[in-house]
Amino acid sequence: MIEERDFAGFAIPFTSAVAAATFSFASIPSASFAGAGLSFVATGVSVLPLAWLAACKRIPVSHALGSVILAGFLCGLVCGFSARELSVSSTAGPLSISAENFGERMKGAIDRMEFSSSGTNALVKALLTGDKTGLSKDVTSIFRESGASHILALSGLHLGIIYATLTKILSFAGNSHIMVIIRYMITLSICGFYTLATGAGPSMTRAFLFITIAQTATMLHRKQSLRGIFWPALVIHLTLFPSDIGKVGFQLSYAAMAGIAWIYPHLKGIWNLQEDESDNGVDLLHRIWDGAALAISCQISAGIPAWFYFGTFPKYFLLTNLIAAPLTGLLIPCALVCLGIESIFGNCPAILLNITEYLCNTMTFILQVISGM
């Protein structure tokens, strides 16, 4: 069985080689279908036979791992260089065009929502589509200074909330084998289409790959862990889009996930809730600690590259994330319900609009207070 060590043994040199090949050019090229195809072939030809030989114990594991490391580096070079040398111009396919048109219709429907303030329309549009052009400078400054800029930038947080909402809704259909398959197909189709509709940025692509790998492992009754998902997602992402390695969103997204995968379990383990503590109110404090441990883990791993690019460090990131994350988890589903009703019926009930606007105003007010501290 392929272990996490084997994935890491391939993914780390692969990523290093892609970075070396990509950054050796003056300008970072666009991803190439030809380069992606070459890398897939090279990966399959070099790694699969080695994995089979190691599984059959025909070669020592140490030799197999060394070969996998070498194969990862060579495949990374092929992928990175071919993205530039074999780049081909191509037009967007029908699915991408349909998704792009759908994204524009989403923006139009949000603009038509009858909120009492146009600022709410702009904030909802930023949260659901990533379009921040309508936001005022004051609102953008409040989110940035409070350490909540990641909420405005479409990321794994947004797609994760949408995925969790879909899973909850579809869970009422039951857990029969056929329903599990149907739920799998519907969830991935909607998440994938939404990713395309919002521009398929590096962070959204990363989140979609994580969801796809996790759901596929569940379908195949395979054990899964965030560490086990991290490496194949990284390799697939860079195979398809090698130039993404030079984008800030890609680096911060994977850095944050690395913190969650490798740092968070240790911080969370500092306080393990005992069975006799779950009934005396300590459970709430334990959940707060879990949220704090998660925020600290992300900041430890993603804080350094964020400081390198932006030269700032949010002093109150812990307070911001403990408050903003739950609010975002409520706001996005409410905004999606309003968007769906507005798109289908042309008029969203006032009570839903008021709830959504109240959540938007509450989040903005809290972040304004934090940014002024």
Side-chain angles (χ1 to χ4, degrees):
M1 180 180 293
I2 299 178
E3 301 177 356
E4 178 189 331
R5 179 196 62 180
D6 302 312
F7 279 126
F10 181 85
I12 293 175
F14 178 87
T15 304
S16 302
V18 170
T22 301
F23 294 139
S24 65
F25 297 112
S27 60
I28 298 175
S30 300
S32 158
F33 289 114
L38 261 182
S39 183
F40 267 127
V41 172
T43 301
V45 169
S46 58
V47 175
L48 291 181
L50 290 169
W52 178 80
L53 289 172
C56 296
K57 299 182 179 180
R58 297 190 179 183
I59 57 175
V61 175
S62 59
H63 292 177
L65 183 59
S67 300
V68 167
I69 292 173
L70 177 60
F73 186 79
L74 293 177
C75 289
L77 288 178
V78 170
C79 187
F81 279 113
S82 63
R84 171 62 180 261
E85 299 302 325
L86 299 178
S87 59
V88 292
S89 60
S90 61
T91 57
L95 182 60
S96 298
I97 295 175
S98 298
E100 183 179 350
N101 293 335
F102 180 77
E104 293 301 321
R105 290 197 295 270
M106 286 174 58
K107 297 176 185 178
I110 293 172
D111 288 334
R112 293 193 301 270
M113 292 183 187
E114 297 180 354
F115 293 113
S116 60
S117 170
S118 60
T120 305
N121 296 79
L123 183 55
V124 170
K125 187 189 295 184
L127 290 173
L128 296 186
T129 69
D131 184 356
K132 299 186 286 292
T133 56
L135 291 174
S136 66
K137 293 183 178 179
D138 291 338
V139 172
T140 304
S141 177
I142 287 171
F143 275 81
R144 183 181 65 254
E145 293 173 3
S146 63
S149 297
H150 61 284
I151 295 177
L152 292 180
L154 283 179
S155 64
L157 172 66
H158 300 74
L159 193 62
I161 292 173
I162 293 173
Y163 165 72
T165 303
L166 285 172
T167 302
K168 191 69 174 179
I169 294 173
L170 295 174
S171 64
F172 294 104
N175 292 315
S176 65
H177 181 65
I178 186 65
M179 285 310 306
V180 169
I181 296 175
I182 293 175
R183 184 161 59 239
Y184 169 83
M185 296 175 64
I186 292 176
T187 303
L188 292 188
S189 297
I190 293 177
C191 288
F193 193 75
Y194 180 76
T195 300
L196 289 174
T198 54
S203 185
M204 287 288 286
T205 302
R206 192 273 310 157
F208 177 66
L209 287 173
F210 270 56
I211 290 173
T212 301
I213 294 171
Q215 284 290 290
T216 303
T218 301
M219 282 284 298
L220 298 176
H221 304 288
R222 298 289 299 273
K223 291 182 179 180
Q224 56 177 301
S225 66
L226 189 56
R227 295 180 182 182
I229 294 171
F230 183 93
W231 298 119
L234 178 62
V235 170
I236 293 172
H237 193 152
L238 288 178
T239 300
L240 294 173
F241 309 106
S243 60
D244 275 4
I245 199 169
K247 298 179 180 178
V248 178
F250 175 93
Q251 297 171 22
L252 293 181
S253 182
Y254 277 94
M257 292 310 300
I260 296 175
W262 279 274
I263 301 175
Y264 171 63
H266 298 286
L267 292 181
K268 182 181 179 180
I270 294 175
W271 179 12
N272 291 316
L273 190 65
Q274 304 298 322
E275 293 183 3
D276 58 349
E277 294 178 326
S278 59
D279 298 328
N280 57 11
V282 181
D283 183 54
L284 177 59
L285 293 176
H286 186 258
R287 292 186 180 184
I288 294 176
W289 166 245
D290 279 352
L294 185 66
I296 294 171
S297 301
C298 291
Q299 203 63 41
I300 290 175
S301 57
I304 295 177
W307 175 271
F308 175 79
Y309 284 110
F310 306 114
T312 59
F313 186 86
K315 296 179 292 184
Y316 303 104
F317 74 91
L318 188 57
L319 181 60
T320 296
N321 282 278
L322 286 176
I323 298 175
L327 274 177
T328 306
L330 293 174
L331 176 54
I332 290 181
C334 288
L336 284 172
V337 171
C338 291
L339 175 60
I341 295 176
E342 181 70 32
S343 301
I344 297 173
F345 301 104
N347 188 18
C348 184
I351 185 172
L352 293 177
L353 294 175
N354 291 336
I355 292 174
T356 303
E357 187 158 31
Y358 174 78
L359 291 173
C360 286
N361 292 337
T362 300
M363 176 180 287
T364 304
F365 173 75
I366 292 175
L367 295 180
Q368 184 176 14
V369 171
I370 294 175
S371 65
M373 295 175 66

